[in-house]
Amino acid sequence: MLMKKDKIIRLFLSPIYDNEVFFIFMYLLGVINSLIEFIILGYRLSIFIFFSQILDVYLMCVFLILFPIKIRGLARWFVSSFLYILSIVNIFCVEKFRAKLGPEIFNVILETNSREASEFWDKYIGCDIIWSSAFLIVVLFVLHLLILLRRYSLRKLLNIRLGNKRVLYPSLIQFSLVLFIFGCCACSLSSRINLIRLLLAPDISSLDKYVDNKTLNTPLNNFAFSFKMHQLSVNGLNVLVKSQDKIQIEKCSYLCDKIVLIIGESYIKTHSQLYGYNKMTTPRQVARTMNNCNGRFIVYEDVISPSNLTSTVFKNVFSLHSVEDTTNWEQYPLFPVIFRKAGYNVTFITNQFVKSLSTDVFNFSGGLFLNDSRLSQLQFDHRNNSAHRYDEDLLQDYDSLCIYNQEHDLIIFHLAGQHFDFNKRSPDSYKRFSADDYVDRKDLDKAERQLVADYDNATFYNDFVVDEIISRFENDNAIVIYMPDHGEECYDEIHRMGRMPSGYYSAEMARQEFRIPFWIWCSDKFSAKNPSLLELINSSKRRPFMTDDLSHMILFLARISCQYYN
């Protein structure tokens, strides 16, 4: 009977015995992640987190013994390497962005192209990884490798002898280990049931009640959650495509022949001269406000973005869905589709979401509905097919495509704007500012002052690009709308650079990352033909506005009526 119990215990522990070094180091990996998150983020650290991590690693060992012995070692190295990489990414995000690996960061990674990834590495990582907490993971990996080479065995520890006397009794230790694992199961049961429910959730709206720190307490669980969110979003494409078939145009007055939307990138409102900035970053826009006496350049004073993430902004701007709506955004039509059905010729010129062979799968959210082949055909008559180093090259793309312009056109420009790396967003001829221009910023060192200068140079160059776009429509019955996707952090109210992909924002963060510049320019012909509409635009410039309702504004300016217009 005792031998039978011993066999059962050994069978229960066989996943650990067969993957003993993996078990120890993967558990240590989870502990290090939790401790770093606790130290940097200040999360409440519960002892139950460490129990649940033991259960997680044990279940991974069970998964590994399902592989044939010949390939089990390869599978073990694949899983452990993946977890090491995942942990490095998670700790880097915790250190740099004060946020764990989650859907927002997962989206950012998927919508980052090779150019942005290279610039990100140069700016944020490089050799700095040696001085970051992520280096602990590298050290752990090296130790893991060295111990494997020394062929360390846990079973030897459980069978230590001193002379002829047995110091430790294997059966007792093994039985205690079994009881401990069962205890971990009991402590972690509710959180692991929540994780299973989360991964089986049918839609995004049903995920919230299963998301908490006990459930998402490891980088692997956060990755699984993020992947699930991505999967549900991709599945939403089919719903979005069907939603476009429901559009019925009631009437269109064609008040404006050329409607132009310019979408900028990462634009801090307080770095624009239009809003009182003390550097000449937008001289051309300022000149347009001063050189007309009939209010053709209207600057809005209180505009915010629905998110500080490009993909979320694009979904809310392009869809007639508003953030206060209770239904999902996929159930609403996209405004370019409405314009095409109303008889407008629609052109999309982007320096970020360029359609490529890999876009349909990997360019998440922004490219999700802009580059899906079905939705792209429904939304756009023409679009550019390559990205450029500088935004001014988009003007050449437009000049080559404008031969296809019709009597009524909707043209959408999507710029790289002030996206990091700021230094790479403007050519040398537009490097107007340097670190020496910010010597009054005693709170910044020279490198930080140079980053602010680089950002302002990118803003100065952006001013040139948008002015060139306006100039192409000065002789038309045209209206040009400018909005960036979101703001940015660049050592303004708080001492940091870059946006915070997090659910919690302080007042200072919200002001910099969500408040955005916004203006409308009207040509002489448009102003002359629509004086009452011009007066209405002027009168609305002081009203609070969120860009999730921009699609309704554009439909109003075009006088397009349909069942979705609000």
Side-chain angles (χ1 to χ4, degrees), residues 457-501:
N457 285 328
T459 306
F460 179 63
Y461 176 65
N462 182 78
D463 181 59
F464 158 72
V465 174
V466 298
D467 191 71
E468 285 294 307
I469 293 174
I470 291 175
S471 67
R472 280 161 169 73
F473 301 96
E474 287 178 335
N475 297 321
D476 296 314
N477 173 17
I479 187 168
V480 178
I481 302 169
Y482 178 83
M483 57 152 279
D485 52 359
H486 48 69
E488 186 65 270
E489 297 281 359
C490 191
Y491 304 113
D492 291 297
E493 294 193 58
I494 57 177
H495 194 91
R496 64 171 289 112
M497 183 190 74
R499 283 164 285 132
M500 181 76 72

Side-chain angles (χ1 to χ4, degrees), residues 43-103:
Y43 286 167
R44 183 168 173 258
L45 192 63
S46 170
I47 190 67
F48 295 111
I49 289 178
F50 301 116
F51 292 154
S52 65
Q53 288 175 349
I54 287 177
L55 176 62
D56 290 342
V57 178
Y58 177 79
L59 293 176
M60 282 189 273
C61 291
V62 172
F63 169 73
L64 287 172
I65 64 170
L66 299 178
F67 286 87
I69 295 176
K70 290 183 179 180
I71 63 170
R72 190 176 299 164
L74 182 63
R76 189 184 299 124
W77 264 108
F78 177 83
V79 173
S80 59
S81 299
F82 176 73
L83 292 176
Y84 277 119
I85 293 171
L86 210 57
S87 296
I88 289 173
V89 172
N90 180 64
I91 291 175
F92 172 80
C93 293
V94 167
E95 239 184 13
K96 295 290 185 181
F97 304 119
R98 299 299 189 270
K100 296 193 293 184
L101 176 64

Side-chain angles (χ1 to χ4, degrees), residues 132-394:
S132 72
S133 302
F135 190 64
L136 291 173
I137 306 301
V138 178
V139 172
L140 187 69
F141 173 78
V142 173
L143 287 174
H144 189 169
L145 184 61
L146 290 175
I147 288 177
L148 281 177
L149 294 174
R150 293 288 298 273
R151 298 184 181 277
Y152 169 83
S153 174
L154 180 64
R155 277 166 289 190
K156 291 180 182 179
L157 177 65
L158 299 180
N159 291 278
I160 296 175
R161 291 178 180 273
L162 185 62
N164 293 322
K165 293 183 179 180
R166 185 178 294 273
V167 177
L168 297 178
Y169 296 89
S171 296
L172 178 61
I173 294 177
Q174 292 169 1
F175 182 68
S176 300
L177 188 56
V178 170
L179 288 179
F180 182 68
I181 292 175
F182 271 112
C184 293
C185 290
C187 293
S188 312
L189 186 61
S190 62
S191 65
R192 291 304 164 261
I193 291 175
N194 270 351
L195 181 63
I196 292 171
R197 287 173 175 171
L198 185 151
L199 296 178
L200 295 177
D203 53 61
I204 292 176
S205 60
S206 60
L207 290 178
D208 290 344
K209 55 187 175 183
Y210 304 126
V211 177
D212 56 48
N213 285 333
K214 288 184 178 180
T215 304
L216 305 177
N217 58 2
T218 67
L220 182 61
N221 292 351
N222 278 299
F223 177 83
F225 168 57
S226 303
F227 185 81
K228 177 66 176 181
M229 287 282 287
H230 169 69
Q231 184 185 46
L232 291 176
S233 297
V234 172
N235 291 342
L237 275 178
N238 294 327
V239 177
L240 186 60
V241 171
K242 291 179 181 178
S243 299
Q244 311 313 305
D245 294 332
K246 302 175 183 178
I247 301 169
Q248 294 181 350
I249 305 299
E250 297 168 2
K251 65 176 181 178
C252 180
S253 302
Y254 301 108
L255 293 183
C256 185
D257 297 336
K258 312 292 181 189
I259 298 177
V260 183
L261 172 62
I262 307 173
I263 303 176
E265 170 74 48
S266 305
Y267 200 142
I268 305 172
K269 180 179 180 180
T270 53
H271 281 250
S272 168
Q273 270 182 278
L274 293 174
Y275 298 94
Y277 190 49
N278 61 2
K279 297 286 189 295
M280 295 182 64
T281 53
T282 56
R284 294 170 180 82
Q285 293 170 52
V286 169
R288 285 188 179 274
T289 64
M290 297 174 65
N291 293 339
N292 65 79
C293 57
N294 56 359
R296 288 192 294 114
F297 195 97
I298 300 104
V299 180
Y300 280 64
E301 298 178 4
D302 189 9
V303 179
I304 61 173
S305 169
S307 172
N308 65 348
L309 185 65
T310 301
S311 55
T312 304
V313 172
F314 265 73
K315 287 189 292 186
N316 283 284
V317 168
F318 274 68
S319 169
L320 267 70
H321 173 269
S322 297
V323 293
E324 65 267 18
D325 292 332
T326 56
T327 49
N328 293 332
W329 77 278
E330 299 98 333
Q331 298 176 12
Y332 291 78
L334 304 170
F335 83 85
V337 180
I338 295 177
F339 268 81
R340 287 199 69 208
K341 289 194 174 187
Y344 275 80
N345 176 67
V346 181
T347 301
F348 181 53
I349 301 172
T350 176
N351 209 13
Q352 292 192 55
F353 295 132
V354 175
K355 189 170 175 61
S356 65
L357 293 176
S358 64
T359 306
D360 288 332
V361 179
F362 296 110
N363 198 359
F364 180 65
S365 262
L368 182 73
F369 67 90
L370 293 172
N371 289 335
D372 176 81
S373 56
R374 298 166 296 174
L375 288 168
S376 180
Q377 291 176 6
L378 288 171
Q379 292 182 89
F380 312 121
D381 293 283
H382 310 286
R383 57 185 299 171
N384 62 323
N385 54 22
S386 60
H388 306 283
R389 183 176 181 183
Y390 299 120
D391 283 335
E392 64 184 286
D393 293 326
L394 294 180

